[in-house]
Amino acid sequence: MASSKNRKNAFYAQSGGVTAVINASACGVIETCRKHKNRIAKVYAGRHGIVGALTEDLIDTSKESAAAIRALRHTPSGAFGSARYKLKKFEDNPAQYERLIEVFKAHAIGYFFYNGGGDSADTCLKVAQLADQRGVPIQAIHVPKTVDNDLPITDCCPGFGSVAKYVAVSIREAGFDVASMAKTSTKVFIMEVMGRHAGWIAAAGGLAAEKTGDAPHIILFPEIAFDEEKFCARVQECVEKFGYCAVVVSEGVKNSAGKFLSDAGLRDAFGHAQLGGVAPVIAQLVKSRLNYKYHWAVADYLQRAARHIASKVDVDQAYAVGKAAVELALKGQNSVMPTIVRTADKPYKWKIGTAPLAEVANKEKMLPRDYITEDGFHITAKGRRYLLPLIKGEDYPPYKDGLPQYVTLKNAPVRKKLAEPFVV
């Protein structure tokens, strides 16, 4: 083994909304680092994401057993804590970036692995650029993650396949429920799913409808302007034809003026519109215009925390991008992101590729128009071909007494070395 002087530490952090499989990526990063102890001494995790780096609140993952790290693969949420915290432009707040470099230098960190979506890719890119300008040997690798499936270049995003599976299963099961009661009770069921600008998650609900009459009968996408008249006419048509109507609606549905139907007028930490509930808005419309009895539900955190029903494809891909991030760093790569490359649909095959962060950061991949039917209310055969492989396979966590057994790490703190605190 090389001497400790020749080894560097790695830093890993989770960003933004966590997923059912983000910890599988963490597992991929940490296990792979442990296999290269001649190059990587320790992996420090940021407590609550990049905030942990800024405040020098680091976690020593070497204190965790191999079994505990292995258990991350089947544990949902962010094992080290995450944060919705977007670094400002360097010219607006250079102190943030200088602080990151200071912390990394103080703890001999030479590898920066940041697990998140488009905003995180931007942070990763900025850190790489600043380190290069300062002549500090830090390799920044972005590890893709987002339930929204909206990162460019990669075929899909780890986290999406499991949310897609949850949504498709849930609307199928709810559809059976409503169908059985529709004669004398609820006739319209509305399920709201995540997706501020891109309708990937809403589209996944369409997988449940294998034949005419299956739920969902209507999908409302952010990419298609909401038309009240057409929507109400379609709901009435479905109720008269099938006895009930099941709707999947994306939280980001907009009207013809481009305004979110559920805009609460607030902004989150990333500057995005803080959306309220669109499902009750749609439900009230159904009541006032058609006088049908309705029920609505918001999948919310349930959809992204549902590790018990995760897609095996998604779990495998999440682990693979974590593993690949370390391997790219050890090969000397910098300012890149491992991607998933689809090589075949039937049977589904994929491999790992690489994308430069400059082509990923702050870019969104929308649901293609040809994945949406001409009337704007469902998915096409092409959309189904893309989506279906991503929800394939089961990867159940271990169970005990009827409940899944998830791991909680020790998260032992690393002693601080910098005298000055940093306020975020």
Side-chain angles (χ1 to χ4, degrees):
M1 180 180 291
S3 70
S4 59
K5 291 182 180 180
N6 296 325
R7 295 189 296 161
K8 296 182 287 186
N9 294 320
F11 174 83
Y12 168 81
Q14 299 170 324
S15 175
V18 292
T19 78
V21 301
I22 189 173
N23 285 336
S25 292
C27 179
V29 168
I30 297 169
E31 286 190 339
T32 308
C33 285
R34 288 184 174 187
K35 291 176 181 177
H36 295 276
K37 292 183 177 179
N38 62 322
R39 302 276 302 278
I40 301 172
K42 290 186 176 184
V43 178
Y44 295 143
R47 198 184 304 272
H48 303 304
I50 200 68
V51 170
L54 290 168
T55 60
E56 201 187 357
D57 191 358
L58 309 181
I59 293 166
D60 188 351
T61 68
S62 71
K63 303 297 185 183
E64 309 291 346
S65 68
I69 296 301
R70 186 164 56 249
L72 287 178
R73 186 170 175 132
H74 64 251
T75 298
S77 184
F80 309 105
S82 185
R84 291 194 182 280
Y85 187 86
K86 182 177 174 64
L87 271 67
K88 292 180 166 51
K89 294 178 180 179
F90 177 78
E91 54 270 25
D92 294 337
N93 194 337
Q96 290 180 320
Y97 297 91
E98 298 290 357
R99 174 67 173 189
L100 288 178
I101 299 299
E102 286 178 9
V103 171
F104 291 165
K105 287 174 67 175
H107 293 274
I109 291 168
Y111 305 104
F112 173 45
F113 302 111
Y114 202 23
N115 202 170
D119 289 316
S120 306
D122 178 61
T123 296
C124 204
L125 174 62
K126 288 172 179 173
V127 169
Q129 291 171 337
L130 182 62
D132 183 60
Q133 291 169 11
R134 296 289 187 274
V136 180
I138 296 173
Q139 290 167 254
I141 312 293
H142 184 245
V143 185
K145 171 248 41 162
T146 173
V147 297
D148 293 320
N149 199 41
D150 59 357
L151 287 174
I153 303 175
T154 186
D155 177 69
C156 59
C157 302
F160 170 68
S162 294
V163 168
K165 190 181 186 81
Y166 177 92
V167 168
V169 169
S170 296
I171 195 62
R172 170 169 285 186
E173 292 176 340
F176 270 79
D177 185 302
V178 179
S180 70
M181 297 292 292
K183 184 70 174 177
T184 58
S185 186
T186 301
K187 284 187 166 47
V188 180
F189 175 71
I190 302 125
M191 184 171 81
E192 177 182 331
V193 300
M194 291 177 173
R196 179 178 284 103
H197 298 298
W200 295 100
I201 299 177
L207 293 174
E210 294 182 343
K211 63 182 186 302
T212 302
D214 286 351
H217 307 99
I218 298 173
I219 304 173
L220 300 178
F221 305 92
E223 291 86 352
I224 304 295
F226 180 72
D227 186 312
E228 184 176 316
E229 295 297 329
K230 289 183 179 179
F231 170 73
C232 290
R234 179 58 61 89
V235 171
Q236 184 173 9
E237 178 187 341
C238 290
V239 170
E240 291 176 353
K241 188 173 184 180
F242 309 119
Y244 75 109
C245 180
V247 181
V248 173
V249 55
S250 173
E251 64 179 348
V253 168
K254 305 178 189 70
N255 60 23
S256 59
K259 180 178 173 58
F260 290 114
L261 267 62
S262 60
D263 193 341
L266 304 174
R267 290 289 181 270
D268 66 15
F270 288 139
H272 304 312
Q274 185 71 49
L275 304 184
V278 70
V281 173
I282 298 297
Q284 188 55 45
L285 178 64
V286 167
K287 178 66 176 176
S288 62
R289 290 287 302 270
L290 302 171
N291 201 32
Y292 289 140
K293 185 173 181 180
Y294 63 82
H295 269 267
W296 57 266
V298 181
D300 201 48
Y301 287 2
L302 300 178
Q303 65 200 298
R304 73 183 195 201
R307 180 58 184 81
H308 67 287
I309 197 171
S311 152
K312 186 178 188 306
V313 166
D314 195 27
V315 175
D316 289 346
Q317 290 178 338
Y319 184 91
V321 294
K323 176 175 180 285
V326 178
E327 292 172 343
L328 287 168
L330 292 175
K331 290 177 181 176
Q333 293 283 320
N334 193 14
S335 192
V336 296
M337 179 185 83
T339 63
I340 295 161
V341 180
R342 183 181 301 225
T343 59
D345 282 321
K346 288 188 176 182
Y348 177 58
K349 294 181 181 179
W350 57 277
K351 64 181 182 179
I352 295 293
T354 309
L357 282 186
E359 296 179 16
V360 176
N362 296 311
K363 294 179 172 64
E364 286 183 305
K365 179 177 66 178
M366 298 300 169
L367 185 70
R369 185 60 181 86
D370 60 0
Y371 283 14
I372 304 171
T373 54
E374 188 174 348
D375 63 13
F377 285 135
H378 225 285
I379 60 171
T380 61
K382 186 175 182 179
R384 178 176 288 272
R385 279 197 304 275
Y386 167 80
L387 292 163
L388 191 59
L390 306 182
I391 70 168
K392 290 289 186 72
E394 287 67 53
D395 191 85
Y396 299 118
Y399 276 75
K400 180 181 179 182
D401 297 331
L403 290 170
Q405 295 300 289
Y406 299 137
V407 68
T408 299
L409 301 181
K410 299 173 186 175
N411 284 347
V414 176
R415 184 178 61 84
K416 294 187 177 184
K417 296 185 177 183
L418 298 177
E420 292 294 322
F422 190 88
V423 179
V424 296

